[in-house]
Amino acid sequence: AAQQWGQATAAVAAVVGLALIIHPGPGPFVFAADHGQLGYILANRGAYAEAARHLAQAAAGLPGNGSLHRDLGLLFYRLGRTAEAQAALERAVALAPDDPLPHRYLGRLLVVRGGNLGRARAHLERALALAPHGEPAAEVRALLETLESQGQ
């Protein structure tokens, strides 16, 4: 089943990629969501730079989609492009203030970057208030404890 899934995602990536080469702009055949789907397929295959390029195009075409901005932020973070990651995650938080994920990811990024740790704490506390249970909450608590131990 896993091998068939891998073959199917490769085929879909090839078809969508070909469509985007033939007609890269928005129009009757290619939409921002197509870039998003290809971006997710590429990310799942480990092609993070190319995935980020497609998710950025999707986010530009669907500027109100917080999930795209959140996932783009994660890809930028994975690529070491932390300033771009922060901007995308801040946009995701603005678009979906009641979604704990962008708060958690932005808080983590701010801790790692050593930036405004007060802002990091605020985002982590908001993430914990929105989703107080499970493994993600444990990660947030650990980050908050780290900040506390550093006197932040």
Side-chain angles (χ1 to χ4, degrees):
Q3 183 181 13
Q4 289 175 330
W5 175 251
Q7 291 170 344
T9 59
V12 169
V15 168
V16 174
L18 182 59
L20 293 173
I21 289 169
I22 293 169
H23 186 29
F29 301 111
V30 179
F31 299 94
D34 297 321
H35 283 285
Q37 292 303 318
L38 182 55
Y40 288 121
I41 291 169
L42 292 166
N44 285 328
R45 297 180 69 194
Y48 301 121
E50 193 175 355
R53 184 172 58 82
H54 285 286
L55 279 184
Q57 288 179 298
L62 298 166
N65 187 317
S67 296
L68 280 172
H69 290 278
R70 178 197 65 219
D71 297 340
L72 180 59
L74 291 175
L75 279 172
F76 283 148
Y77 180 77
R78 179 164 275 200
L79 292 166
R81 296 162 57 179
T82 56
E84 291 167 286
Q86 183 173 338
L89 290 170
E90 286 172 347
R91 178 80 177 136
V93 165
L95 290 168
D98 294 329
D99 182 350
L101 293 177
H103 286 286
R104 184 175 108 211
Y105 299 145
L106 181 55
R108 180 192 317 146
L109 174 66
L110 292 170
V111 168
V112 169
R113 287 188 80 187
N116 185 331
L117 297 180
R119 279 188 62 223
R121 174 179 289 287
H123 284 291
L124 292 169
E125 288 173 346
R126 179 70 175 145
L128 194 57
L130 291 167
H133 305 291
E135 188 176 324
E139 177 201 3
V140 170
R141 285 188 185 90
L143 287 167
L144 286 168
E145 288 174 14
T146 299
L147 288 175
E148 188 71 31
S149 71
Q150 295 174 353
Q152 302 293 328

